[in-house]
Amino acid sequence: MCGIVGYIGKRDAAPLLLDALRRLEYRGYDSVGEATIHKGKLYVKKGRGKIEDVHRELKLDSLPGNVGVGHSRWATHGEPSKRNAHPHVDNSGKVAVVHNGIIENYEELRQFLRDNGYSFSSDTDTEVVPNLVSYFMKQGNGFEGAVRKAVGRLKGSYALGIVSVSEPDKLIAVRKESPLILGLGSGEMFIASDIPAVLPYTKRVIILEDGEMAVITPIRALVKYTDSGKAIEKKPLRVAWTAEMAEKHGYPHFMLKEIHEQPEAIRETLRVSADELAQLCKMLLDAKRIYIVACGTSHHAALVGKYALAKLADVSAEVVISSEFQESCMVDGGTVVLAITQSGETADTLKAVRVAKAGGARVACLTNVVGSSVTRESELVCHTYAGPEIGVAATKTFAAQVAYLLLLAFNLAKMRKCISKVKFDELVAQLQETPNTIDAVFERTEKQIEELAKRYKDAKNIYFIGRGIGYPIVMEGALKLKEIAYIHSEACPAGELKHGPLALIEHGIPVIAAVVPGSARGRMLGNVEEVKARGATVIAIAADNDEEIKRHVNELISIPVTHELLTPLTYISPLQLLAYYIGVERGFDPDKPRHLAKSVTVE
Ligand code: F6R
């Protein structure tokens, strides 16, 4: 949530800040702004709306100066508006701050500042920060000292970028519980919420950790503990991602590109080191109780993992939505928690991890982002290799998570002697073949899906049904449709229809059914008949050797046959495409769904 950037160097800061903000827009896009310093004066431009709209009106790249900060906002405190947009500036117009996170004690700090003659012009929690810095500067502190004193008064979470006209040769970055990286260039330095922002300029990054700050000049980024001011030796990382990977390559939207990148995301992820997988298997096998915690799409991948672990490896894992973990779960020294989060920054998942650790549990994580917050909280760090995902809706990271979890289940099943070596080799070979199968799914279904999107774009409600491993597939399909096309959609375990949801089925209502091969298929056909008998228009996704299904449904999306456990990888693409094309038909931007942001760093 919210993207922050900063630059100090020889070049004009404003165009670079704008470029970096465009690369971070997936983190929030209800307002945007930049501040630069030039010849002892602070310049600020900001406005409500998406970056391109605000830029068209204000020319964000025209601010003068070689140092500055920028911000793309996802509102928490205060409605999206020009006055609530960042950067926020102190009363004297000398200190500018961009902030990602939440200052929990901002009311109390506002009162303190008001008592000292300060006033406020926004509804944000952030505005206290530049004014506190200014307050401590007036008390005789230098820029860095004032920032450290100000930050000492803050409660909550924050990644901050701060500049001051009093010391225009410095950019200060501070981090607590919100992501922040430093990009180390040659004669120039960057700060950003996420690595893709700096990829065109440098591959050398330092990941700031909680309680750390950096005092940055064009030639040096000095990292220190924020409380003591003591310097810390930090080794820069060299990132393998390229700027190209974070571009659209002729696709109209990142979402469409990333849907099509799923085969590659799976191939890369399946190259996981044997050692990492063995360590995770051992950790799970040693556990008395296993929880998998995740949110949103990662939660759906977790459910696929649960089915695969139970069906194949006889391993029982409870999947818990991260924000519910502390409310409902029993944790002790025998508990293992696997946290799944593509960004590695989701506050709810980080909280679940901390609660688990406090209760004595061991924690492993599965994330797509090297060096993300969850990696620092986990005893064992496992990675998917989907590459940067820019579209707000998770697509290729889902495929990568599912591929990883299936490989994990296959390995556990072999270790526990639930399957033979021959069966294991056969399953792994089939999993390695799925990228090609998914390419075939695109070939076969994309035109059909575009047609379906035209036909169903005005539907008010669309229901999804599935059984067994088909259930997480339809949960993910329904979530995609909600967030991208803004159509009310609900996923229901098909067997549960008769316990209530069937009452909502009326003539002409679209019902999307994932009919996966395996033991539940026959019962699933019965459920398809139940909704058809009540007038629903049934669109089924099924294996192409399933002759019988054709007689039961109005429309068939036919998928090359795979093992039942691989269907979450092969069936999900048509559902992602359906959400994408309906969203586009309805005139929405699929990369920037309203009210949502890529990395959800608030609880
Ligand atoms: C849906 C989506 C969200 C995320 C959720 C968890 O398309 O993107 O539901 O899946 O916010 O995010 P991570 O995996 O980063 O923890």
Side-chain angles (χ1 to χ4, degrees):
M1 334 228 93
C2 299
I4 74 171
V5 296
Y7 173 82
I8 187 162
K10 292 190 203 67
R11 295 194 267 175
D12 284 340
L16 293 168
L17 293 172
L18 178 62
D19 179 60
L21 283 174
R22 283 184 174 128
R23 292 167 199 282
L24 282 189
E25 201 177 8
Y26 57 87
R27 297 182 64 89
Y29 30 79
D30 59 48
S31 49
V32 60
E34 288 183 4
T36 57
I37 294 174
H38 183 59
K39 294 191 176 158
K41 195 166 174 279
L42 191 63
Y43 293 82
V44 180
K45 284 191 178 186
K46 56 185 185 178
R48 180 192 169 150
K50 291 186 182 163
I51 293 180
E52 290 319 320
D53 298 334
V54 175
H55 173 51
R56 204 172 306 118
E57 193 193 326
L58 300 180
K59 303 280 170 289
L60 290 169
D61 57 356
S62 66
L63 293 168
N66 312 116
V67 58
V69 288
H71 189 271
S72 168
R73 182 168 185 248
W74 186 87
T76 54
H77 292 66
E79 55 165 19
S81 65
K82 179 171 177 173
R83 105 201 146 77
N84 288 334
H86 298 218
H88 287 285
V89 174
D90 73 307
N91 285 180
S92 63
K94 294 205 164 113
V95 179
V97 168
V98 288
H99 168 219
N100 170 29
I102 292 179
I103 308 297
E104 287 163 7
N105 58 336
Y106 77 103
E107 297 278 16
E108 171 197 323
L109 293 173
R110 272 185 176 226
Q111 199 47 55
F112 167 79
L113 287 162
R114 271 196 202 103
D115 293 346
N116 284 281
Y118 286 82
S119 61
F120 295 91
S121 54
S122 78
D123 308 318
T124 65
D125 52 336
T126 304
E127 205 185 348
V128 296
V129 183
N131 284 305
L132 271 180
V133 174
S134 145
Y135 169 83
F136 285 113
M137 280 165 89
K138 280 192 190 138
Q139 306 281 306
N141 297 281
F143 181 28
E144 181 192 332
V147 168
R148 287 195 21 237
K149 286 218 155 96
V151 168
R153 302 288 290 267
L154 304 180
K155 293 200 177 114
S157 60
Y158 40 84
L160 300 166
I162 314 176
V163 288
S164 165
V165 293
S166 64
E167 295 182 43
D169 53 346
K170 276 186 196 146
L171 162 65
I172 296 188
V174 188
R175 173 191 166 140
K176 183 180 166 247
E177 292 171 22
S178 287
L180 196 56
I181 63 116
L182 315 179
L184 313 182
S186 154
E188 59 184 5
M189 302 281 170
F190 298 80
I191 65 168
S193 298
D194 209 348
I195 293 169
V198 303
L199 285 178
Y201 311 107
T202 180
K203 301 270 172 350
R204 286 176 68 228
V205 301
I206 287 178
I207 294 167
L208 279 191
E209 297 189 26
D210 288 348
E212 293 178 355
M213 67 183 292
V215 181
I216 306 162
T217 67
I219 51 164
R220 190 154 188 226
L222 189 57
V223 181
K224 305 178 168 196
Y225 292 111
T226 314
D227 52 2
S228 66
K230 198 166 155 261
I232 312 168
E233 201 56 52
K234 300 268 284 192
K235 255 195 143 184
L237 290 177
R238 183 160 275 281
V239 289
W241 292 355
T242 64
E244 274 223 307
M245 286 164 99
E247 278 158 16
K248 283 189 203 152
H249 290 292
Y251 283 94
H253 298 103
F254 280 111
M255 183 179 175
L256 189 60
K257 173 181 170 247
E258 288 160 2
I259 290 172
H260 280 271
E261 282 174 344
Q262 291 181 107
E264 202 44 35
I266 296 170
R267 274 189 205 103
E268 288 300 317
T269 297
L270 292 179
R271 296 203 177 109
V272 49
S273 84
D275 182 48
E276 176 184 305
L277 212 51
Q279 284 187 58
L280 182 55
C281 286
K282 174 155 181 0
M283 203 165 161
L284 296 177
L285 289 178
D286 289 347
K288 228 171 56 201
R289 188 186 298 119
I290 301 169
Y291 289 112
I292 310 182
V293 298
C295 307
T297 293
S298 296
H299 170 245
H300 301 152
L303 288 171
V304 173
K306 169 194 162 108
Y307 278 94
L309 289 171
K311 276 220 144 184
L312 211 61
D314 217 6
V315 169
S316 162
E318 191 177 336
V319 174
V320 185
I321 288 186
S322 306
S323 55
E324 290 296 315
F325 185 76
Q326 61 182 323
E327 319 295 344
S328 63
C329 292
M330 289 166 13
V331 181
D332 59 20
T335 306
V336 167
V337 168
L338 173 61
I340 303 183
T341 162
Q342 75 79 20
S343 63
E345 301 294 347
T346 300
D348 288 330
T349 302
L350 292 172
K351 180 63 183 274
V353 161
R354 287 173 193 140
V355 168
K357 285 199 319 191
R362 299 176 70 194
V363 173
C365 70
L366 178 61
T367 181
N368 197 47
V369 181
V370 175
S372 56
S373 297
V374 78
T375 64
R376 288 189 292 280
E377 300 275 352
S378 307
E379 177 185 333
L380 177 63
V381 176
C382 306
H383 286 111
T384 52
Y385 294 97
E389 189 175 67
I390 310 293
V392 166
T395 52
K396 62 175 177 171
T397 52
F398 172 77
Q401 289 165 345
V402 167
Y404 193 106
L405 293 168
L406 290 177
L407 192 61
L408 173 70
F410 298 169
N411 275 274
L412 277 169
K414 187 178 71 173
M415 287 167 87
R416 288 172 57 78
K417 304 203 180 342
C418 299
I419 55 172
S420 66
K421 167 87 173 60
V422 172
K423 181 74 186 166
F424 171 78
D425 289 343
E426 195 186 298
L427 284 169
V428 171
Q430 285 186 35
L431 180 57
Q432 279 164 343
E433 185 52 27
T434 46
N436 297 332
T437 315
I438 296 169
D439 277 330
V441 170
F442 291 134
E443 278 277 301
R444 203 189 266 196
T445 65
E446 193 153 357
K447 278 272 153 299
Q448 179 189 13
I449 302 287
E450 283 189 65
E451 282 307 309
L452 283 175
K454 289 194 176 85
R455 230 180 300 154
Y456 292 104
K457 70 177 176 25
D458 295 320
K460 292 275 169 292
N461 304 287
I462 298 186
Y463 292 94
F464 287 73
I465 56 174
R467 262 185 190 262
I469 208 150
Y471 180 46
I473 296 174
V474 291
M475 289 173 85
E476 179 57 9
L479 177 64
K480 289 284 98 77
L481 196 65
K482 266 177 220 164
E483 62 183 334
I484 301 303
Y486 315 155
I487 290 180
H488 171 245
S489 49
E490 250 184 68
C492 177
E496 191 67 7
L497 277 168
K498 57 190 176 293
H499 300 291
L502 205 53
L504 293 170
I505 302 300
E506 50 191 32
H507 187 76
I509 204 157
V511 174
I512 296 179
V515 183
V516 300
S519 56
R521 179 191 156 278
R523 291 190 297 279
M524 185 66 197
L525 286 193
N527 301 130
V528 165
E529 277 308 316
E530 280 165 17
V531 291
K532 259 197 88 184
R534 282 147 184 95
T537 302
V538 180
I539 303 152
I541 311 185
D544 60 10
N545 65 348
D546 192 334
E547 287 301 322
E548 198 186 355
I549 187 78
K550 292 182 189 148
R551 293 196 293 279
H552 292 258
V553 300
N554 303 80
E555 180 92 32
L556 181 63
I557 300 168
S558 164
I559 303 292
V561 187
T562 62
H563 188 284
E564 171 190 3
L565 289 175
L566 303 180
T567 54
L569 294 173
T570 55
Y571 281 38
I572 198 60
S573 309
L575 296 180
Q576 294 164 335
L577 287 171
L578 186 67
Y580 171 81
Y581 282 112
I582 294 186
V584 170
E585 280 292 329
R586 287 163 65 85
F588 305 130
D589 179 350
D591 285 344
K592 302 184 188 81
R594 68 185 178 206
H595 312 321
L596 303 179
K598 184 83 193 150
S599 188
V600 187
T601 53
V602 292
E603 276 180 50

